Structures are given as structure tokens and as C-alpha cells.
């Protein structure tokens, strides 16, 4: 891997509860190369969104980074403040949020919201920013382009609002784009339009992309590498082909098996293989491997010790945190 | 599978009159459901798919008469549901049940799970509280929950457990027909598979008939016997699952299927998508003729002028498209 654009090391995030602090993201480390697209996969509550929000100091109240660093363009994102932080937000790292309904200011025209980052980060004057905003609207495929700049958010449909969100994320052509489930609320036809759009823009602009999702089917054709999160820790990390063709962690295998298959031939079996149980609540993580209570390959060591992320012998880029795969530690 | 017709839906229409503008001065009519006809066979799972706003949920609600139909009929065991008086309708309610998408919103937060399940038994079967509570244990075990859950409140349950309770509640009066309105859409992938399996097991055990309303085509392919595709308030195509997924005829069905991603990076990279441009037009002002003509890749003048007939092109395979069967037109 050439020099990474983003290097997150040992990230820990805590939540303040009535009963004291609880760790919700624990020891997450990953790198992202220039031009690379990374998929971050996990179910609700696994910490995938919080991990990314922490990078821009966007964590909600009572939730805070308690350890680790995130190096981006040779600076630690966690120590940035004031103007420095503002320059990175939107300027160097673009962010597309999941819910386009709540991410806009409802009483500000779309155009003004889209021009804001251009004026702030790129130092454009109003006329230039408006021209650029119109171009961005066309770039993300909004029919009418400029004419829509004077609309308010409620005047656009869900799919269009999401496109405007993407236009905002891309406004300053950031070297890194973080997309948090950008298509979850959309229909499949619009979803595939947006995926194609991001692929296209990534090539044109040479961006690195982090795509957060729970949908393993959606990102199969989109990303280069995937990390799988379970209750705030990385349980598997692999190049995309390896993850789908030879998943190692029992959780990843379970997730892939529980997807109904669409491809023709081989009529679907009557029963979908499913993972029993539900993920533990944050703050109620078991002592050993967080997946142990739901795992079919559980051994006694899994209940007492936490497995570390280790490379497979045959593929150093494929890393798994599971005693059943990499062998139990000598005690 | 038996092939007796359980419900016959004939020319069902549902329009909503709305007022728009800041002072409600503009009247408009939403054409949510127009001239929809199909049969639901006893013991089958019929899926209704389409993009948001296509009227699939309205169809489910109108069939159960949770919305009063504007015109048309729904024949169930010899009677037209749409014309029954309140008393007769109430008696039928126990046969016809519904499970909603959001199990957080459908359960009363101040009622224990046991009371929530017992309530319909007391109301519809006229049982005493003690008798009803005795049945609750059986029903809970049917949906895979231990007896002790009867004393819990909804907030103590996970999303998957809550959806099990919602299903238990629908089952309480031993219904014949259940509308599952996006019943698994809000759940995590691993939990989704559990609920799909549960629905199938219950169908086998009690001979239930499902109308399964969903937008996730991979799930639909897994669970259905037949599939109906809706677009903007009208049916576009209906066929048994294998025919619909392997030989779709309507251009909209083709586009919809091609937009569904698959969990296989090799397949995804090779795949050519047929991307639908634009978005679904407003049901307040639906296009003339075939409602899909504004986005259809093969539309001709005829499609703007005339509404395509809902015709049978092969046994049990219906489609509403002028092009189907015309040499040199249908692709």
C-alpha cells in the first residue's frame, strides 16, 4: 500500500451512562490508501457510524473519543480545533449523511446551503459559488440544474435530496469522502443511480471513499476492501474478493449466508441460515470474544479472552479476529 | 399448494383528496390505487413490490378495508368486504390481520407483551382474561419467544423480538390471511433471516396466506410463490416467482430487477445495469396512457395515448404493456 491518506490507530470511544462509562468502540485500527474505496460493514449499534463521525469531531453529546489517533494529511484529527477543524470538515473530508431529511436546514434554499462550503473553503465569491453550485447539481444528475438552486429542501423528493447531499459532500472536491449509508432510505432504482454516480465521480476526482453500510450486496461491486465491525471491534478485514469468496469469521460467514440469493439457478432453500440471538447492547459486552454468545464454533477460550486481529498465513491482507480461525493462544 | 381463491380483488380504486398550499386552497387528488385486479390463492405467499409511493401499502390497507376503497370490490368467502356493514366487518377482522414495518410504533408501550397478545383473543373470541392468558404461552412459543416474555414491556425487547410479538399478536385469533407490510424491512440482516424463517414455519403450521409487501427483491424472491409488480398505482406484471425473475416481460420489471445488487464482487463488476433515469412521477398528476411511459426505454406514441390492457400472456402470467408480444418492439 502506498502512503495512506488516513491512518486510524487504536480508536476507542466511550459513552457516558447513568452507570458510568461504557466502551462502544474498542481498539479499531485501519488504513486507507489514496484512491481506495473502503467498505465498513456491520449491523445497527456496531459503532460503524460513530467511528466515522469521531473523525470529524461530530460525536453526539455524552459520547467521546477516549483513546487512539487518526492521522490524516500528517495531522491527528482528534487534536484539531477551531479553524483547523473547520478547514478539514467539508474542505478536506466530505461527509454524506444517511438521512437527507434531517441534514438540511429546512428554511435555507438548497443553493445557499450548497454555496456555503464553496465560499468558506474555496474562497469563491457569491457569483462564482452559484455557478459552481449549478454545475454540481448537474454533476449529480438533478434535472434542471441551476433552476433547482432556489428550491427549499421540502420541495425535492428523497432521491433528489440525497443527490444534493452528495453534491454538498463533493463541493470542495475533498480527497476523502465518507458516505454513511447514503442510499439506505432510497429505492433500488435510485440506489443504483447513486452508486454509479459515486463510482463515476471517484474516477473523475481520484477521491478515496469510505462507504458505511449494513448491506453486503450493495457494496460488492463498489469497494476495494471491507472491514466488518461487531459491537465496536473489527472482526474481519479483507480485500473485497477474498471477503466474499472465503469469509473467515463466523459472524461474516453468518451475515453472508443470511442474505437471500438472487442469482438464477439453485432454487433458494426453504430455510435461510440465520445467526441465532441478537447483538449485545452497548456496554453489556461479554468478557471474551463479543460474538461468542452467538457463535457455533465457540471454544472455552473464547469466553475468557478477546481474540486479536491476525493475518491469515496464506494472505497477509486478510485479517481475522477469531481463535477458531487463527488458533487459540498458548496459555 | 391449493389453488382455491381466498381473496378476489376486482378493479380496486383508492383516491385520496388532499388540500395543498399554505392555506389548503388547492385541492388535488392522489391516485394511489387505480383499477387493480388480482386473486390471492389460499395458502400462498403473494408479494407486492414496487418503489416507494407506488401504492403497494395502500393496496394492502384497502384490501383489509383499513382504507375505504373509492370503488371496486374485495371478495372474501363469498362476501364483498368493501360493502360490509361495521358489525359484519368486525367479525371478519379476526380472519384478516396485518403486521406493520415498525414494531416500535405498533405496540402499546404501557402494555405487557402478554396483555398485548391477549387483547385480540378477548375481543374477537370472547374469552375471559384467564383463558386468553393461557393461550398467550402457546402463541409465544409459536413465534419462538420464551414464556417469561409475557410479563415484559416492549422497551425491554430488541427489534427482532418486538417484531415477533407483533406477529404473535396478528396470530392470536388464528387468522387465515396476513398482510405483511414491510414487516422485515426495519430489521438487521441477521435478524431478518430469523423472521423470514419464522413466517414460513407459521405458514406451514397454520396454512396461512400472506400478502407480502416489500421493496427488497432478494427477500421477495426467497419467500414468495407469486409476485406482483406495481408502478404508480397500477399493476405492471404478475407471475409466479420463477417466471417473473427469470423471464420478466414488462420493461419496468426488467429495470427493477437489474437494479438489485448481488453479494458477489465478481458478478457485480461484470454486470451491465439498465439504469432507469429520472424518478417516479407524482401520483397527483400521473402520466397519461401507460404510467411508465415517461421512463420507459421503449415507449412509443401509443403508450402516451392508451392505458395498456391488463392481459394474460401465459398461464398465470399477466402484464400491462403494449409492447409485450409485438415483434420488433419488445426487447
Amino acid at each position: 500500500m502506498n502512503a495512506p491518506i488516513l491512518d486510524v490507530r487504536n480508536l476507542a470511544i466511550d459513552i457516558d451512562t447513568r452507570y458510568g462509562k461504557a466502551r462502544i468502540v474498542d481498539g479499531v485500527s485501519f488504513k486507507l490508501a489514496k484512491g481506495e474505496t473502503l467498505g465498513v460493514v456491520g449491523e445497527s449499534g456496531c459503532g460503524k457510524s460513530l467511528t466515522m463521525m469521531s473523525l470529524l469531531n461530530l460525536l453526539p453529546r455524552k459520547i467521546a473519543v477516549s483513546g487512539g489517533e487518526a492521522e490524516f494529511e500528517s495531522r491527528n484529527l482528534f487534536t484539531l480545533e477551531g479553524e483547523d477543524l473547520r478547514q478539514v470538515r467539508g474542505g478536506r473530508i466530505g461527509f454524506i449523511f444517511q438521512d437527507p431529511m434531517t441534514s438540511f436546514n429546512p428554511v435555507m434554499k438548497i443553493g445557499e446551503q450548497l454555496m456555503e462550503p464553496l465560499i468558506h473553503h474555496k474562497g469563491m465569491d457569491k457569483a462564482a459559488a452559484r455557478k459552481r453550485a449549478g454545475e454540481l447539481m448537474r454533476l449529480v444528475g438533478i434535472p434542471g440544474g441551476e433552476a433547482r438552486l432556489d428550491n427549499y429542501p421540502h420541495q425535492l423528493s428523497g432521491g433528489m435530496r440525497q443527490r444534493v447531499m452528495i453534491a454538498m459532500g463533493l463541493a470542495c472536491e475533498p480527497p476523502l469522502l465518507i458516505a454513511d449509508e447514503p442510499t439506505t432510505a432510497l429505492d433500488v432504482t435510485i440506489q443504483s443511480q447513486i452508486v454509479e454516480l459515486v463510482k463515476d465521480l471517484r474516477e473523475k476526482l481520484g477521491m478515496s471513499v469510505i462507504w458505511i453500510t449494513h448491506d453486503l450486496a450493495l457494496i460488492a461491486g463498489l469497494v476495494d476492501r471491507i472491514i466488518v465491525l461487531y459491537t465496536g471491534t473489527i472482526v474481519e478485514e479483507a480485500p473485497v474478493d477474498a471477503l466474499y469468496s472465503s469469509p473467515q469469521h463466523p459472524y461474516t460467514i453468518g451475515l453472508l449466508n443470511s442474505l437471500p440469493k438472487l442469482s438464477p439457478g439453485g432454487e433458494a432453500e426453504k430455510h435461510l441460515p440465520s445467526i441465532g440471538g441478537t447483538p449485545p447492547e452497548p456496554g453489556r459486552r461479554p468478557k471474551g470474544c463479543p460474538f461468542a454468545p452467538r457463535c457455533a464454533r465457540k471454544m472455552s477460550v473464547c469466553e475468557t479472552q478477546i481474540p486479536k486481529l491476525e493475518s491469515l498465513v496464506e494472505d497477509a491482507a486478510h485479517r481475522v479476529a477469531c481463535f477458531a480461525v487463527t488458533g487459540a493462544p498458548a496459555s | 399448494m391449493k389453488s382455491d381463491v381466498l381473496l378476489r380483488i376486482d378493479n380496486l380504486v383508492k383516491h385520496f383528496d388532499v388540500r395543498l398550499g399554505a392555506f389548503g386552497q388547492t385541492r388535488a387528488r392522489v391516485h394511489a390505487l387505480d383499477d387493480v385486479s388480482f386473486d390471492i390463492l389460499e395458502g400462498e405467499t403473494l408479494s407486492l413490490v414496487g418503489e416507494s409511493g407506488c401504492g403497494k401499502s395502500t393496496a394492502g390497507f384497502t384490501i383489509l378495508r383499513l382504507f375505504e376503497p373509492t370503488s371496486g370490490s374485495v371478495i372474501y368467502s363469498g362476501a364483498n368486504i368493501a360493502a360490509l356493514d361495521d358489525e359484519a366487518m368486525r367479525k371478519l377482522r379476526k380472519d384478516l390481520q396485518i403486521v406493520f414495518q415498525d414494531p416500535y410504533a405498533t405496540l402499546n408501550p404501557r402494555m405487557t407483551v402478554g396483555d398485548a397478545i391477549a387483547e385480540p383473543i378477548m375481543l374477537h373470541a370472547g374469552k375471559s382474561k384467564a383463558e386468553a392468558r393461557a393461550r398467550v404461552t402457546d402463541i409465544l412459543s409459536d413465534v419462538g419467544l420464551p414464556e417469561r416474555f409475557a410479563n415484559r414491556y416492549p422497551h425491554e425487547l430488541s427489534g427482532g423480538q418486538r417484531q415477533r410479538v407483533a406477529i404473535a399478536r396478528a396470530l392470536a385469533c388464528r387468522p387465515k390471511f396476513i398482510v405483511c407490510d414491510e414487516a422485515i424491512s426495519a430489521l438487521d440482516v441477521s435478524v431478518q433471516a430469523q423472521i423470514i424463517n419464522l413466517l414460513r414455519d407459521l405458514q406451514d403450521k397454520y396454512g396461512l396466506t400472506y400478502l407480502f409487501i416489500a421493496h427488497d427483491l432478494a427477500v421477495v424472491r426467497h419467500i414468495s410463490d407469486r409476485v406482483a409488480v406495481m408502478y404508480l398505482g397500477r399493476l405492471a406484471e404478475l407471475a409466479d416467482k420463477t417466471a417473473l425473475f427469470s423471464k420478466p416481460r414488462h420493461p419496468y420489471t426488467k429495470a427493477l430487477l437489474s437494479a438489485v445488487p448481488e453479494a458477489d464482487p465478481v458478478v457485480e463488476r461484470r454486470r451491465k445495469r439498465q439504469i432507469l433515469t429520472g424518478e417516479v412521477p407524482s401520483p397527483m398528476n400521473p402520466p397519461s396512457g401507460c404510467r411508465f411511459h415517461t421512463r420507459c426505454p421503449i415507449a412509443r406514441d401509443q403508450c402516451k395515448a392508451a392505458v395498456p390492457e391488463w392481459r394474460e400472456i401465459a398461464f398465470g402470467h399477466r402484464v400491462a404493456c403494449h409492447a409485450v408480444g409485438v415483434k420488433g418492439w419488445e426487447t
Side-chain angles (χ1 to χ4, degrees), chain A residues 42-45 157-160 163 184-193 195-196 199 214-223 240-241 244-245 251 254-256 258-279 281 294, chain B residues 50-53 56 156 158-161 185-194 196-198 200-201 203-204 215-222 241-242 245-246 252 255-266 268-269 271 273-280 295:
Chain A
E43 296 178 275
S44 33
S157 71
M160 290 227 259
R163 281 156 192 271
T184 305
L186 305 174
D187 284 312
V188 275
T189 52
I190 310 291
Q191 179 175 296
S192 68
Q193 288 175 15
V195 168
E196 293 301 317
K199 274 191 196 166
H214 67 275
D215 186 346
L216 276 163
L218 176 69
I219 57 168
L222 177 74
V223 302
V240 62
D241 287 14
Y244 289 87
S245 63
Y251 177 63
L255 272 187
L256 283 167
S258 60
L259 291 175
K261 309 292 181 291
L262 194 69
S263 41
E267 198 50 28
E269 314 110 64
K270 197 157 173 73
H271 265 96
L272 281 175
S274 63
I275 309 174
T278 46
E281 280 166 53
R294 302 173 75 189
Chain B
E51 294 171 273
S52 32
K56 53 190 193 298
E156 298 174 88
S158 71
Q161 288 165 344
S185 310
L187 305 173
D188 272 322
V189 191
S190 67
V191 179
Q192 218 176 40
Q194 295 171 12
I196 292 173
N197 291 339
L198 172 66
R200 284 221 140 167
D201 291 342
Q203 183 167 44
D204 287 348
H215 67 272
D216 184 337
L217 288 161
V219 169
V220 164
R221 154 126 187 175
H222 180 81
K241 168 177 73 178
T242 324
F245 279 90
S246 62
Y252 178 62
L256 201 59
L257 291 181
S258 101
V260 182
E262 229 177 289
D264 184 338
V266 183
E268 280 295 307
R269 273 193 296 263
R271 161 160 187 185
R273 285 183 195 290
Q274 180 201 342
I275 296 202
L276 272 186
T277 48
E279 303 193 13
V280 184
R295 300 169 80 195

Side-chain angles (χ1 to χ4, degrees), chain B residues 204-272:
Chain B
D204 287 348
K205 190 167 176 189
Y206 294 112
L208 294 168
T209 304
Y210 293 134
L211 179 66
F212 195 82
I213 298 167
H215 67 272
D216 184 337
L217 288 161
V219 169
V220 164
R221 154 126 187 175
H222 180 81
I223 203 169
S224 328
D225 298 305
R226 294 192 302 151
V227 181
V229 181
M230 275 189 85
Y231 185 78
L232 214 56
R234 288 186 191 274
L235 284 172
E237 188 162 5
L238 189 157
D240 72 59
K241 168 177 73 178
T242 324
L244 192 106
F245 279 90
S246 62
K247 289 192 202 79
R249 301 294 293 272
H250 197 288
Y252 178 62
T253 313
K254 290 179 188 173
L256 201 59
L257 291 181
S258 101
V260 182
E262 229 177 289
D264 184 338
V266 183
V267 173
E268 280 295 307
R269 273 193 296 263
R270 272 206 311 254
R271 161 160 187 185
K272 273 262 161 271

Side-chain angles (χ1 to χ4, degrees), chain B:
Chain B
M1 194 181 78
K2 286 180 245 166
S3 55
D4 298 339
V5 174
L6 183 76
L7 280 151
R8 163 160 289 157
I9 292 114
D10 271 322
N11 303 95
L12 199 61
V13 176
K14 178 66 195 172
H15 291 165
F16 294 97
D17 288 320
V18 292
R19 283 162 175 271
L20 301 171
F23 303 100
Q25 72 278 43
T26 320
R27 284 159 187 270
R29 173 159 288 183
V30 178
H31 297 248
L33 206 59
D34 257 327
D35 215 3
V36 165
S37 305
F38 61 98
D39 292 340
I40 300 173
L41 308 178
E42 200 170 336
E44 79 167 341
T45 302
L46 174 66
S47 287
L48 206 48
V49 302
E51 294 171 273
S52 32
C54 74
K56 53 190 193 298
S57 290
T58 306
F61 276 55
T62 313
I63 289 169
L64 295 182
R65 214 174 148 194
L66 296 174
F67 289 153
E68 287 296 328
T70 306
S71 68
S73 62
V74 178
I75 310 291
Y76 172 74
S77 66
N80 180 7
I81 296 182
L84 289 179
D85 63 42
D86 289 355
E87 188 50 41
M89 193 60 223
R90 193 157 38 237
K91 288 205 179 103
L92 267 189
R93 288 262 173 240
K94 66 180 195 311
D95 282 4
L96 312 169
Q97 288 290 323
I98 185 165
V99 177
F100 297 96
Q101 171 170 10
D102 184 357
Y104 292 75
T106 46
L107 296 172
N108 184 338
R110 301 177 62 169
M111 256 171 122
T112 62
V113 165
D115 287 340
I117 299 171
E119 190 181 41
I121 303 174
M122 285 150 62
L123 284 175
H124 284 301
K127 303 274 194 223
S128 71
K129 186 154 189 183
E131 286 171 310
R133 284 306 290 250
R135 273 212 62 202
V136 166
T137 314
D138 290 345
I139 298 170
L140 279 174
S141 97
D142 272 348
V143 299
L145 292 175
E147 190 183 345
R148 60 172 194 278
F149 272 68
N151 297 319
R152 298 210 176 158
Y153 285 93
H155 75 266
E156 298 174 88
L157 310 180
S158 71
Q161 288 165 344
R162 249 180 272 214
Q163 199 57 293
R164 285 175 193 268
V165 173
I167 293 170
R169 200 161 192 247
L171 280 178
C173 293
R174 302 192 188 283
K176 300 213 165 52
F177 174 66
I178 299 181
V179 172
C180 303
D181 186 12
E182 302 272 13
I184 56 159
S185 310
L187 305 173
D188 272 322
V189 191
S190 67
V191 179
Q192 218 176 40
Q194 295 171 12
I195 301 293
I196 292 173
N197 291 339
L198 172 66
L199 287 170
R200 284 221 140 167
D201 291 342
L202 292 171
Q203 183 167 44
D204 287 348
K205 190 167 176 189
Y206 294 112
L208 294 168
T209 304
Y210 293 134
L211 179 66
F212 195 82
I213 298 167
H215 67 272
D216 184 337
L217 288 161
V219 169
V220 164
R221 154 126 187 175
H222 180 81
I223 203 169
S224 328
D225 298 305
R226 294 192 302 151
V227 181
V229 181
M230 275 189 85
Y231 185 78
L232 214 56
R234 288 186 191 274
L235 284 172
E237 188 162 5
L238 189 157
D240 72 59
K241 168 177 73 178
T242 324
L244 192 106
F245 279 90
S246 62
K247 289 192 202 79
R249 301 294 293 272
H250 197 288
Y252 178 62
T253 313
K254 290 179 188 173
L256 201 59
L257 291 181
S258 101
V260 182
E262 229 177 289
D264 184 338
V266 183
V267 173
E268 280 295 307
R269 273 193 296 263
R270 272 206 311 254
R271 161 160 187 185
K272 273 262 161 271
R273 285 183 195 290
Q274 180 201 342
I275 296 202
L276 272 186
T277 48
E279 303 193 13
V280 184
S282 161
M284 261 182 263
N285 188 15
S288 63
C290 172
R291 290 189 176 172
F292 186 56
H293 83 252
T294 52
R295 300 169 80 195
C296 182
I298 57 169
R300 293 183 181 175
D301 288 347
Q302 187 187 351
C303 306
K304 279 179 215 164
V307 178
E309 190 195 343
W310 179 234
R311 60 198 164 109
E312 192 160 22
I313 51 164
F315 182 71
H317 194 155
R318 283 177 177 273
V319 66
C321 175
H322 294 300
V324 169
V326 179
K327 270 218 169 85
W329 187 0
E330 188 187 6
T331 47

